[in-house]
Amino acid sequence: MKRYIIPILSLFLTACTGSREEPTRALLAASLNNPSGSTYQVRFFQSTTLQPGSTDTPRLVGSWSLDAPIVTLLYRRSLGAGNDQLWVLTPDRLRRYNASNLTIDDVGTPQLDGFDEALGVDCSRGYLRQGQSHILLVCPPSPATPSRSTGPGSSPSRPPPFPPPSIFWMPTWCA
C-alpha cells in the first residue's frame, strides 16, 4: 500500500502546482512630447492591455494636457490614506499633482496639490528619484562642446570641466 501512495501523491501534486491569477489592474502613465504640434501630455493606459500575450488593443483611459515638454514622471504612492502623487518635471518647473482620484476607468483633470516650483536652472536632462520622505531632483548640465583647433603649431585643447549638477531635495508631504 505504501509503495502506491508516493506515485499517486506525485500525480496529484503535479496537477496542483500551476495557478492562474487575474492580471493586476493598474494604470501606466506615459508622457507624450510633440513639439511640432505643441502637444505635451501625460497619457494613462490600462496596464492589462499592455501585458505580453494580451490580445486587447492598448486602452487609453485618459490624458492630461500640459503647457511644457515633459522631462520625466514619478509616481509616489502614499502609505496612508489618499495622498498619492504624480510628480512631473519640465525643463524649468517641478509640479506635484494629486493622483488619489485616478482609477482604471477615469483619470479626471489634473489637480496641482500645492507644489509648482520654478527651478531657476535648465533641467531638460534631469531626473527624479524617490526617497523615504523626499524626492531627489538632479539637473545635470548640458554637455560642453569642446573646441578643436587644428593647424600648424596648434595644441589640442582640453574641454572645460563640467559644472556640478544642480541637486534639490523636495519634501513629499502634502503642502
Side-chain angles (χ1 to χ4, degrees), residues 74-107:
L74 182 121
Y75 177 77
R76 181 180 178 274
R77 185 177 185 117
S78 69
L79 299 176
N83 190 25
D84 296 348
Q85 303 164 346
L86 181 66
W87 291 77
V88 178
L89 176 64
T90 64
D92 62 347
R93 300 191 80 74
L94 181 61
R95 296 174 175 154
R96 182 179 63 200
Y97 292 93
N98 183 352
S100 299
N101 297 327
L102 296 175
T103 67
I104 58 167
D105 298 315
D106 182 33
V107 295

Side-chain angles (χ1 to χ4, degrees), residues 9 15 59 70 74 82 102 106 110 120 126 128 135 137 142 150 168 171 175:
L9 189 57
R59 180 174 173 252
I70 301 165
L74 182 121
L102 296 175
D106 182 33
L128 299 168
I135 297 292
L137 165 62
S142 298
T150 57
F168 305 92

